[in-house]
Amino acid sequence: MTTVILGVIGSDAHVVGITILERAFAAAGFEVVNLGVQTSQTEFVAAADARDAEAILVSSLYGHAKQDCKGFHEQVDAAGLDVTTYIGGNLAVGQNDFDETRATFEAMGFDRVFDSETDPEEAIEALRADLGHRMPESERVRVDA
């Protein structure tokens, strides 16, 4: 089973979004390790390493994700992890131009960046596509089935 690590980074304590994501990804056939809220970068990396995860899904709703994620991919690289990384939510205070926000987080190393209005199914489809080469055929679920 494909393992994903999920959590809310930094001092953010918004739990509803990751609860929805946890249920949606689990229903889609992923093994989800939900680290909960106020998760440090180190906790994400340690969990991904311990569980041999294929992806890390970072959530942030309080607008300070840029500060919370500074150096995140350096920790991922230092641990020698080969993971796909996603981030989503309300990532910047006063976020007016999401294309600019997306570019900022992609430059920080995230493979995909989602806004707070993203349907979980969109993220699931994206992760299936991004990990398709890693997922055994028996684990693949056709989206249009």
Side-chain angles (χ1 to χ4, degrees):
M1 185 173 283
T2 300
T3 302
V4 298
I5 305 301
L6 170 66
V8 180
I9 198 160
S11 298
D12 197 333
H14 292 91
V15 71
V16 174
I18 63 164
T19 302
I20 292 168
L21 288 172
E22 176 184 21
R23 290 180 181 163
F25 274 87
F30 293 90
E31 178 182 348
V32 181
V33 177
N34 186 344
L35 301 177
V37 300
Q38 299 180 329
T39 305
S40 71
Q41 293 181 17
T42 303
E43 290 171 302
F44 277 103
V45 171
D49 189 29
R51 296 296 190 98
D52 196 26
E54 287 83 15
I56 298 175
L57 313 176
V58 177
S59 177
S60 182
L61 284 175
Y62 76 148
H64 299 287
K66 184 176 177 183
Q67 296 89 328
D68 291 337
C69 293
K70 185 176 182 179
F72 180 75
H73 284 89
E74 287 81 356
Q75 284 199 41
V76 169
D77 292 343
L81 300 179
D82 178 24
V83 293
T84 298
T85 57
Y86 285 9
I87 189 165
N90 180 31
L91 304 176
V93 174
Q95 180 174 290
N96 294 325
D97 181 359
F98 190 73
D99 289 335
E100 184 178 311
T101 300
R102 178 181 289 115
T104 296
F105 286 91
E106 287 174 348
M108 292 175 76
F110 285 94
D111 295 296
R112 296 209 191 225
V113 183
F114 301 97
D115 66 20
S116 60
E117 301 299 316
T118 302
D119 186 285
E121 196 60 39
E122 182 181 336
I124 290 165
E125 289 176 25
L127 193 58
R128 283 186 178 138
D130 290 346
L131 298 180
H133 66 283
R134 294 185 191 172
M135 290 180 86
E137 187 66 35
S138 62
E139 289 185 29
R140 294 184 192 169
V141 179
R142 290 183 51 112
V143 175
D144 57 354

